[in-house]
Amino acid sequence: MLRLTTPHTAVAEKWPTRRGFTVLELLVVLAAIGLLLSVAAPRYMAHLDQGREVALRQNLQAMRQAIDQFTADRGVPPKSLQQLVTGRYLSHVPEDPMTGRTDTWRLVYVEALSSASAAMASASSPGIIDVRSGSVGSSRQGVSHASW
């Protein structure tokens, strides 16, 4: 018995008719990707937070050192952070990594000291003696960033 085939059926027999992925296969792949992301995302965010905390500590240390150098050189504390930049104690006012801005630093002035310490400082020239973060958040250890 002779079987006649058309050109279309010959092609169909040569190539498999199944092309692409089924919905089930796509769902399995998406579930696997979701599982991997659910494990990796918290670790990534923890590393970002740790990096911001390290940057905050370094920025605070650099500004405190610049304030101390300014006060030692001139005999009076600076009145603003910009004065540290114009005096070339800092190249620029660093960004608070927790807030992402340069204008959120909380400045501690001579007036905020106790009366005994304030008596030693010149009453006519109150200035910055310390700087803290303007962030309202807290570190991974539970300590407020503003208290550093």
Side-chain angles (χ1 to χ4, degrees):
M1 183 159 166
L2 185 62
R3 201 166 151 191
L4 296 174
T5 60
T6 64
H8 297 293
T9 57
V11 171
E13 290 174 0
K14 191 187 269 188
W15 298 98
T17 58
R18 183 175 171 216
R19 290 189 230 186
F21 300 104
T22 65
V23 173
L24 182 62
E25 290 170 332
L26 290 174
L27 287 175
V28 168
V29 169
L30 288 175
I33 290 172
L35 181 66
L36 290 174
L37 285 176
S38 70
V39 170
R43 286 184 172 214
Y44 176 71
M45 296 306 288
H47 284 290
L48 286 180
D49 290 341
Q50 182 182 7
R52 282 190 207 104
E53 288 179 6
V54 168
L56 176 62
R57 288 185 192 276
Q58 290 175 345
N59 288 348
L60 288 171
Q61 181 182 11
M63 286 191 293
R64 288 173 177 156
Q65 185 177 14
I67 290 168
D68 291 343
Q69 289 174 350
F70 184 98
T71 305
D73 290 348
R74 301 192 181 188
V76 293
K79 296 189 186 307
S80 69
L81 293 177
Q82 192 59 39
Q83 195 174 10
L84 294 172
V85 174
T86 57
R88 296 184 186 234
Y89 291 91
L90 290 173
S91 61
H92 63 281
V93 177
E95 179 181 283
D96 184 344
M98 297 304 170
T99 62
R101 298 175 56 183
T102 60
D103 60 349
T104 57
W105 293 111
R106 287 189 17 214
L107 306 176
V108 179
Y109 291 93
V110 172
E111 295 107 11
L113 293 175
S114 67
S115 59
S117 299
M120 288 189 251
S122 172
S124 63
S125 62
I128 302 169
I129 57 165
D130 197 10
V131 64
R132 299 200 174 137
S133 175
S135 171
V136 293
S138 38
S139 68
R140 294 176 296 135
Q141 291 80 20
V143 179
S144 171
H145 292 130
S147 67
W148 287 3

